[in-house]
Amino acid sequence: MRGIAQLAKELGISTGTVSRALNGKRDVSDETKRKVMEAAARLGYAPNQAARALAQGTTRSIGFMIELDPETAASSDYFFMGVFDGVQSVLTRHGLDLLVLPCPTTQDRYHYLERFVARGVVDGIILASTQRVDQRVDLLQSVGVPFVTLGRSTSGQGYSWIDLDFEGVVNTSIDRLVALGHRRIALTLPFGEVNFGAVFEAAYRSALLRHGLEFDPRLMFVTRRSEQAGYRIVDEMIALEAAPTAVLLIYEVAAIGIYRRLAELGLTPGRDLSIVGLRDEPTVRFLEPSVTCFSVSLRDIGVAIAEAMLAQLPAHAGAYPPGIVQKLAHLELRAGESDGPARS
Amino acid sequence: MRGIAQLAKELGISTGTVSRALNGKRDVSDETKRKVMEAAARLGYAPNQAARALAQGTTRSIGFMIELDPETAASSDYFFMGVFDGVQSVLTRHGLDLLVLPCPTTQDRYHYLERFVARGVVDGIILASTQRVDQRVDLLQSVGVPFVTLGRSTSGQGYSWIDLDFEGVVNTSIDRLVALGHRRIALTLPFGEVNFGAVFEAAYRSALLRHGLEFDPRLMFVTRRSEQAGYRIVDEMIALEAAPTAVLLIYEVAAIGIYRRLAELGLTPGRDLSIVGLRDEPTVRFLEPSVTCFSVSLRDIGVAIAEAMLAQLPAHAGAYPPGIVQKLAHLELRAGESDGPARS
DNA sequence: CGCTCCTCCGTAAGCGTTTACGGAACTATA
DNA sequence: TATAGTTCCGTAAACGCTTACGGAGGAGCG
């Protein structure tokens, strides 16, 4: 006899009463409630998760699926830790646990997720690294599991997502660069089928159009998230017959490589080539001259995700207005010295 | 009627047989086994996790607790993603899931862990960021939950751990620097009570002793994991009456700051100050001149952790020789150009 | 043919909680 | 005093799965 039964025997009352007391339900006198709480704390008792989940039909935990691609994702984890913290801060207040589910490099992301939802390990799912067309969204919608995605996708319809305002970043950047006299502005795009690549490119095209600038596909560079990638594209840009005078980076870390290559060539960031990065992560923030980029609170993004999740959980209805929420996190410009007037 | 009952009805057999078939047990004909498998795949059936855990008394999942300190840990996640991948690669082969448990900044690490083990959410625990004295180790040992720590601790006794060979790194580094003529070698130490700080310092002291060099506490600098920290200590070192000619970094990322400050002062890494970093993470690997540091496979560390865990799980006895395993991961020197002959 | 042994399957009792239901004791009301 | 209404608690049936147990049927043997 273990668990609640032992506790009940110890107190000389029934398991039902103990359970009610622990869960703060009615039909229990304050006196017994107190006794039970005290005994539980003293014996270090906590209700068995499996039994509780089975009886209630709910696990009280939310899964956050991430991917472990060592090539590209390895450095974006920087990103996730901040988000996790934000998610946690909200979930714990509602008695929910956060379980991070790291999909191994060798496994298919769809099947990995499928197993977890089919077995009912979590009550809700948070998805990251959304692809342009992402079957996981369709899966979750069809089985009816509450979910929120960090990043948009063209799959599914009418679901909750939180994403960075890439359009805003592109518009602000291009406006700024154009105002500085730039006419040929290069762009780096993420390798792979992540959705924000398409978003970034579309925003870029429409911004050019808005300014009456010509779109030149040779000014777009697909890169992985690495310093090396930045190093390489400098030469590629220079080799063009009409080299760009500015570049907008989807992976700000590339700035490090660009700086180094420019230095080797005797060129100066902000003078010979204007550079605008996406996010002001610490490493980039430390560069000299400082990189013009954008600031966003990762924690706030996490909070928004958690709130969007709570809005979908029946057990927590009322805490947040129900319904789908789709939110773009604003990125605030942090003007640095890596961009300046265009030189011809 | 859901789950296995529905599946059984569909096939016209009992739930017991279905369960046996799905779990590949005996007492089921190959014919029915085949039919059940087929039906399960067709209907997308997977046994409910809670029910299974309750019946078997085992969750088939391992928890990996990490901490979300945005200040120090945020950038060490780089580190974790690689480790996760290694752990996963082994666990999945044995039908075990990996659940990452991120302890929020606001919560006490001990109570966070306590709740998870008391509720029986996981069969085993992997601990990171072990403190010099870490009550979590005592807790896990007292309740008898299988666990492995990534990093040592002075708490507890005779438990399994995997750690970096900090002693090896220090010895190799000091030997190398001394051979280059350095006599005053500085050291950076981690902020906080993490155990590897103490290990690093102890190894440093004994290495100095071995070479007959004087120990000077003023040559030790406690730093957080940041570029900024490196930037700052340059001035602090120079300000000393007898400035060090070399420095050994616990957080290699500090090299970035050191490089920058040296450049501002018109000094050159490897000539005016020799620098040796711990791990060759991408950002540092990209510096120019290249940083002398050490290489270690994060994935292998993860693999070792998982194997140490399996050795403790009764259900998997035999897969790996039972017993505690304590292993130091070797760090291979990657000689760069950031260190050179001492100048007086 | 009778016996034993093996193969395969159904039955049902758990696993540790939660929770609907009913009932005992007590209070308030007429 | 009889009745209705509260308050508190015990009982037991779920939740979905696993697994010990037993039994039916067939094969193999003497």
Side-chain angles (χ1 to χ4, degrees):
Chain A
M1 186 177 55
R2 264 181 320 180
I4 208 175
Q6 183 181 351
L7 224 182
K9 198 184 114 187
E10 201 106 359
L11 290 165
I13 57 180
S14 75
T15 63
T17 304
V18 173
S19 175
R20 279 188 296 258
L22 288 173
N23 293 324
K25 303 219 168 175
R26 331 160 333 186
D27 288 356
V28 185
S29 73
D30 292 342
E31 171 65 8
T32 32
K33 203 171 285 189
R34 197 187 50 72
K35 278 188 192 167
V36 171
M37 291 298 196
E38 185 275 330
R42 182 165 43 81
L43 275 64
Y45 168 81
N48 178 277
Q49 164 72 6
R52 178 180 252 242
L54 183 57
Q56 295 195 135
T58 173
T59 64
R60 291 171 182 277
S61 51
I62 302 297
F64 196 138
M65 175 176 169
I66 60 174
E67 301 179 24
L68 290 183
D69 179 10
E71 186 77 41
T72 64
S75 48
S76 63
D77 40 13
Y78 218 141
F79 183 81
F80 285 122
M81 296 290 171
V83 177
F84 291 162
D85 200 32
V87 172
Q88 282 269 28
S89 71
V90 175
L91 292 189
T92 55
R93 274 209 308 276
H94 292 266
L96 295 171
D97 287 325
L98 177 65
L99 302 180
V100 176
L101 313 176
C103 179
T105 55
T106 54
Q107 254 179 65
D108 175 63
R109 64 167 72 86
Y110 182 85
H111 293 108
Y112 177 80
L113 175 64
E114 193 177 30
R115 258 191 82 236
F116 275 99
V117 304
R119 296 183 305 157
V121 180
V122 291
D123 290 348
I125 286 280
I126 299 167
L127 243 45
S129 310
T130 46
Q131 307 292 108
R132 224 165 67 74
V133 19
D134 201 318
Q135 301 195 334
R136 295 175 301 174
V137 172
D138 299 313
L139 168 68
L140 292 171
Q141 259 184 337
S142 71
V143 299
V145 171
F147 72 100
V148 178
T149 65
L150 172 47
R152 286 158 282 179
S153 167
T154 59
S155 298
Q157 45 184 337
Y159 59 92
S160 291
W161 51 255
I162 310 295
D163 203 354
L164 298 183
D165 183 14
F166 292 99
E167 292 90 339
V169 166
V170 172
N171 286 332
T172 304
S173 303
I174 300 289
D175 288 358
R176 179 180 168 90
L177 291 171
V178 168
L180 286 168
H182 295 275
R183 290 295 172 266
R184 291 185 62 76
I185 304 171
L187 184 80
T188 69
L189 291 171
F191 180 84
E193 289 299 313
V194 284
N195 187 71
F196 64 84
V199 171
F200 210 56
E201 180 182 339
Y204 170 71
R205 287 188 185 231
S206 83
L208 291 188
L209 205 64
R210 188 158 46 78
H211 286 286
L213 296 178
E214 177 203 14
F215 168 75
D216 183 348
R218 289 170 302 181
L219 293 183
M220 298 198 306
F221 300 88
V222 172
T223 69
R224 292 184 185 270
R225 184 185 189 94
S226 73
E227 296 83 358
Q228 196 64 45
Y231 187 87
R232 287 206 202 93
I233 63 168
V234 171
D235 290 333
E236 294 183 32
M237 290 191 291
I238 290 176
L240 292 176
E241 54 188 281
T245 59
V247 61
L248 179 51
L249 304 174
I250 185 70
Y251 291 137
E252 60 285 332
V253 71
I256 297 174
I258 294 178
Y259 270 48
R260 174 162 154 197
R261 185 53 185 156
L262 287 181
E264 289 174 0
L265 296 171
L267 301 174
T268 308
R271 221 172 47 110
D272 302 301
L273 177 67
S274 284
I275 301 161
V276 177
L278 187 71
R279 215 166 50 75
D280 60 341
E281 69 165 43
T283 308
V284 169
R285 204 181 303 160
F286 194 74
L287 278 177
E288 167 68 25
S290 61
V291 178
T292 292
C293 54
F294 296 82
S295 174
V296 62
S297 163
L298 301 179
R299 200 166 188 286
D300 288 351
I301 291 178
V303 168
I305 291 174
E307 291 178 346
M309 174 60 71
L310 286 172
Q312 293 179 62
L313 296 181
H316 298 270
Y320 294 91
I324 65 176
V325 1
Q326 305 181 330
K327 189 187 269 181
L328 288 177
H330 173 68
L331 293 159
E332 187 71 27
L333 179 69
R334 288 287 188 87
E337 297 152 350
S338 66
D339 57 347
R343 308 177 68 191
S344 53
Chain B
M1 186 179 55
R2 264 181 320 180
I4 208 176
Q6 184 181 349
L7 224 183
K9 198 184 115 188
E10 199 108 359
L11 290 165
I13 58 181
S14 76
T15 63
T17 304
V18 172
S19 174
R20 280 188 297 260
L22 287 173
N23 293 324
K25 303 220 166 173
R26 330 160 333 181
D27 289 355
V28 186
S29 72
D30 292 344
E31 173 65 7
T32 28
K33 204 171 283 187
R34 196 186 52 71
K35 278 187 192 169
V36 172
M37 291 299 195
E38 186 275 331
R42 183 164 43 82
L43 276 65
Y45 169 80
N48 178 276
Q49 164 71 6
R52 177 181 254 242
L54 183 57
Q56 296 194 135
T58 172
T59 64
R60 292 170 181 277
S61 52
I62 302 297
F64 195 138
M65 175 177 170
I66 60 174
E67 299 178 26
L68 290 184
D69 178 10
E71 187 76 41
T72 64
S75 45
S76 64
D77 38 14
Y78 215 141
F79 184 79
F80 285 123
M81 296 290 170
V83 177
F84 291 162
D85 201 33
V87 173
Q88 281 270 28
S89 70
V90 175
L91 292 188
T92 54
R93 275 209 306 277
H94 292 265
L96 294 171
D97 288 325
L98 178 65
L99 301 181
V100 176
L101 313 176
C103 180
T105 55
T106 54
Q107 254 179 64
D108 175 62
R109 63 166 73 86
Y110 181 84
H111 293 107
Y112 178 80
L113 175 65
E114 194 177 30
R115 257 191 82 237
F116 275 99
V117 305
R119 295 184 305 157
V121 180
V122 291
D123 291 347
I125 285 280
I126 299 167
L127 244 45
S129 311
T130 46
Q131 308 292 108
R132 223 165 69 74
V133 20
D134 201 319
Q135 301 194 335
R136 295 175 302 173
V137 171
D138 299 313
L139 168 67
L140 292 170
Q141 259 184 336
S142 71
V143 299
V145 171
F147 73 100
V148 179
T149 65
L150 172 48
R152 286 158 281 179
S153 167
T154 60
S155 298
Q157 45 184 338
Y159 59 92
S160 290
W161 51 255
I162 310 295
D163 202 355
L164 298 184
D165 182 15
F166 292 100
E167 292 90 340
V169 166
V170 171
N171 284 334
T172 303
S173 302
I174 302 288
D175 288 357
R176 179 181 168 90
L177 291 170
V178 168
L180 286 169
H182 295 276
R183 291 293 172 267
R184 291 186 62 78
I185 304 171
L187 184 79
T188 70
L189 290 171
F191 180 85
E193 288 298 316
V194 283
N195 186 70
F196 65 82
V199 172
F200 209 56
E201 179 181 340
Y204 170 71
R205 287 188 185 232
S206 83
L208 290 187
L209 206 63
R210 188 157 46 79
H211 286 286
L213 296 179
E214 177 203 15
F215 168 74
D216 183 348
R218 289 170 301 179
L219 294 183
M220 299 198 306
F221 300 89
V222 173
T223 70
R224 293 183 184 270
R225 185 187 188 91
S226 72
E227 296 84 357
Q228 195 66 46
Y231 187 86
R232 287 205 202 93
I233 64 167
V234 170
D235 290 333
E236 295 183 31
M237 290 192 291
I238 290 176
L240 292 176
E241 55 189 279
T245 59
V247 61
L248 178 51
L249 305 173
I250 186 70
Y251 292 135
E252 61 284 330
V253 72
I256 297 174
I258 293 180
Y259 270 48
R260 173 162 153 195
R261 185 55 184 153
L262 287 181
E264 290 175 359
L265 296 172
L267 300 175
T268 309
R271 222 169 46 109
D272 302 302
L273 178 67
S274 283
I275 301 159
V276 176
L278 187 70
R279 216 164 50 71
D280 60 341
E281 67 165 43
T283 308
V284 170
R285 203 181 302 159
F286 193 75
L287 279 176
E288 167 69 23
S290 61
V291 178
T292 293
C293 54
F294 296 82
S295 174
V296 61
S297 163
L298 300 179
R299 201 165 187 286
D300 288 351
I301 290 178
V303 168
I305 291 174
E307 290 178 348
M309 175 58 72
L310 285 172
Q312 292 180 63
L313 296 181
H316 298 270
Y320 294 91
I324 66 177
V325 1
Q326 305 182 328
K327 189 187 269 182
L328 288 177
H330 174 69
L331 293 160
E332 186 70 27
L333 179 68
R334 289 287 188 87
E337 297 151 349
S338 66
D339 58 346
R343 307 178 69 189
S344 52

